[in-house]
């Protein structure tokens, strides 16, 4: 959110922003491995202009500390924190959903006992945050923050409310597609990931400069959850499946053989 | 088998009720024996303070060993977990109360591993805040950097600990790191 509001008439139009996105998607510099990650200098997302590094990220071999990750335990996380619909006087408003999936490393191995944190807007697209000026109602029964630990097979599972899309001031009539923010740890600190999960079929995805900053369609598609009727529960909640793959991961002796 | 990684996305402006928690920035209680401050300011390419950044540290103990203790979220005041998190204030400043990390590998200078997330930053960034000392000049990684770039990774000793400013962009932009692919070269 920009601290100095700009009159809507002076903001770029969605058409202009979409044209900028299309141009960048055709930029040959977007080809190759870099397209698996968002482009840090992605001008259609205006806030990135002064906040992206201009020099190449410096390749380095991780040292001991970076090949380990912080430990989180059952002392740190109450199991009730995985249910964002409880803890208030009443039921939150909106579509109750279950979001579940596995956290894996680049070798397909489950990330066990690691911390997964989520935060999101309520069903009306409003965050419980001082900076959120969207004139949609707060829900007294919904805060929108949760935590859990992955199990031995790498599974996480949250019960929550489907978040609403919300407007922002990037350009005129800018709307973020509905999303849940995710924060994840792996077995190595180098795998630390903060990202966003989106919902299938959302027409706002095509218009969103943050989502579109990942120039490879397959790579950005990995941020979209799948509706899963086996996760949906009878007369209670619809279900979404979203797996997360953290980059790399320390090689085990077994894995080294595989890699050679 | 190699699986394609899930891309990152900006932490956005509204993480403050999702990620910070009580005691997040205090790896040890401030003022306790051996405690020091690791602090600094986060600046954008215009030299303007970034008031909505999230900074994390992950570090070794003073003897260079890596903590395997849980308890970074519910701190008991005794366990040293090696992990801390804080968000910058209105003035772009951050501060951790912690211990000075020791080197984890022989003849390698000690550092804090640091991640930076912010609104406007489409993916998280990694860097290191090195503790200046004789090993700085013989470290092969630091030696591979141009001198003026290397300086952006050195924490500055002061009265209460170390200062480490993070510049996201510009002339004295901090060196940010990528690790991808490096796991294959592990001995
Ligand atoms: Fe958001």
């Amino acid at each position: 959110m920009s601290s100095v509001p700009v009159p809507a008439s002076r903001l770029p139009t969605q058409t202009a922003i979409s044209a900028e996105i299309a141009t960048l998607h055709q930029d040959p510099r977007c080809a190759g491995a870099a397209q698996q990650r968002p482009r840090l200098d992605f001008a259609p997302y205006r806030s990135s202009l002064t906040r992206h590094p201009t020099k190449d990220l410096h390749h380095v071999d991780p040292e001991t500390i970076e090949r380990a990750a912080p430990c989180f335990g059952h002392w740190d996380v109450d199991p009730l924190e995985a249910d964002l619909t409880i803890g208030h006087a009443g039921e939150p408003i909106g579509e109750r959903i279950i979001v579940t999936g596995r956290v894996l490393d680049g070798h397909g191995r489950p990330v066990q006992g690691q911390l997964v944190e989520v935060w999101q807007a309520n069903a009306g697209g409003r965050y419980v945050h001082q900076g959120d000026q969207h004139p949609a109602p707060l829900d007294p029964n919904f805060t929108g923050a949760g935590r859990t630990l992955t199990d031995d097979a790498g599974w996480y599972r949250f019960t929550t409310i489907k978040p609403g899309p919300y407007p922002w001031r990037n350009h005129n009539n800018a709307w973020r597609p509905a999303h849940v923010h995710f924060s994840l740890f792996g077995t190595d600190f180098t795998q630390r990931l903060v990202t966003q999960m989106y919902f299938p079929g959302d027409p706002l995805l095509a218009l969103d400069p943050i989502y579109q900053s990942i120039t490879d369609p397959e790579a950005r598609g990995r941020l979209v959850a799948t509706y899963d009727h086996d996760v949906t529960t009878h007369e209670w909640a619809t279900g979404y499946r979203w797996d997360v793959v953290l980059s790399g991961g320390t090689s085990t002796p077994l894995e080294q053989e595989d890699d050679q | 088998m190699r699986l394609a990684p899930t891309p990152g996305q900006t932490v956005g402006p509204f993480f403050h009720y999702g990620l910070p928690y009580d005691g997040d920035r205090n790896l040890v209680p401030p003022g306790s024996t051996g405690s020091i401050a690791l602090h600094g300011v986060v600046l954008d390419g215009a030299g303007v303070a970034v008031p909505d950044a999230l900074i994390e540290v992950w570090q070794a103990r003073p003897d260079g060993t890596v903590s395997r203790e849980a308890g970074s979220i519910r701190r008991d005041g005794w366990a040293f977990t090696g992990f801390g998190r804080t968000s910058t204030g209105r003035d772009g400043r951050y501060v951790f109360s912690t211990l000075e990390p020791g080197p984890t590998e022989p003849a390698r200078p000690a550092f804090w591993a640091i991640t930076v997330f912010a609104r406007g930053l489409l993916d998280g960034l990694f860097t290191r805040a090195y503790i200046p000392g004789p090993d700085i000049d013989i470290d092969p990684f630091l030696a591979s950097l141009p001198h003026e770039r290397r300086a952006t990774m050195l924490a500055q000793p002061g009265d209460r600990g170390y200062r480490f400013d993070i510049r996201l962009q510009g002339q004295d932009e901090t060196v940010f790191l990528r690790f991808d692919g490096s796991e294959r070269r592990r001995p």
Side-chain angles (χ1 to χ4, degrees), chain A residues 45 49-52 54-55 58-59 63-66 75-76 106-107 117 120 192 195 198 245 250, chain B residues 2-3 6-7 9 17 45 52 56 58 73-74 85 105 108 119-120 128 169 173 176 185-186:
Chain A
Y45 177 32
L49 287 172
T50 56
R51 291 185 170 194
H52 73 270
T54 54
K55 298 177 169 66
H58 202 97
H59 185 267
E63 289 196 22
T64 305
I65 186 72
E66 291 156 335
W75 165 262
D76 286 300
H107 303 278
E117 294 161 282
Q120 61 165 90
R192 181 82 182 90
T195 189
Y198 300 93
V245 177
T250 302
Chain B
R2 300 293 289 187
L3 297 180
T6 304
Q9 290 272 264
Y17 70 93
D52 42 15
E56 293 176 342
W58 169 232
I73 296 180
R74 302 224 158 88
R85 170 186 285 171
E105 294 179 22
R108 287 297 184 86
R119 176 182 69 83
R128 295 172 176 173
Q169 189 185 83
E173 181 178 306
F176 296 108
R185 278 195 296 280
R186 194 183 179 194

Side-chain angles (χ1 to χ4, degrees), chain A residues 151-223:
Chain A
D151 72 12
D152 286 350
W155 286 95
Y156 73 85
R157 184 184 178 93
F158 290 103
T159 303
T160 184
I161 293 294
K162 191 172 180 195
Y166 59 85
W168 58 312
R169 294 176 185 147
N170 188 69
H171 54 278
N172 190 22
N173 207 15
W175 287 78
R176 293 298 329 280
H179 59 275
V180 178
H181 294 268
F182 269 74
S183 159
L184 303 114
F185 291 80
T187 54
D188 298 25
F189 196 61
T190 61
Q191 294 174 301
R192 181 82 182 90
L193 180 70
V194 170
T195 189
Q196 303 180 24
M197 185 206 88
Y198 300 93
F199 292 86
D202 191 332
L204 294 169
L205 287 170
L207 307 176
D208 181 42
I210 293 179
Y211 177 70
Q212 298 291 339
S213 69
I214 304 152
T215 57
D216 176 47
E218 223 168 277
R220 63 177 180 264
R222 294 199 283 274
L223 296 181

Side-chain angles (χ1 to χ4, degrees), chain B residues 31-152:
Chain B
S32 59
T33 309
S35 67
I36 59 166
L38 171 65
H39 67 102
V41 62
V42 182
L43 300 169
D44 72 9
V48 174
V50 175
D52 42 15
L54 183 87
I55 310 294
E56 293 176 342
V57 290
W58 169 232
Q59 66 165 102
R61 294 193 188 93
D63 67 2
T65 58
V66 178
S67 172
R68 305 318 296 146
E69 287 193 85
S72 292
I73 296 180
R74 302 224 158 88
R75 299 204 191 268
D76 66 5
W78 300 97
F80 183 75
T81 65
F83 175 77
R85 170 186 285 171
T86 190
S87 42
T88 52
R90 234 177 263 259
D91 54 1
R93 297 193 170 275
Y94 73 90
V95 60
F96 293 99
S97 168
T98 188
L99 303 174
E100 187 166 317
T104 56
E105 294 179 22
R108 287 297 184 86
F111 62 84
W112 282 279
I114 291 180
T115 52
V116 183
F117 303 95
R119 176 182 69 83
L121 187 57
L122 278 156
D123 204 358
L125 295 171
F126 295 93
T127 188
R128 295 172 176 173
Y130 278 96
I131 294 172
D135 288 338
I136 288 290
D137 294 319
I138 55 167
D139 183 70
F141 164 65
L142 287 173
S144 75
L145 297 171
H147 198 265
E148 69 282 4
R149 297 281 289 141
R150 193 187 79 160
T152 70

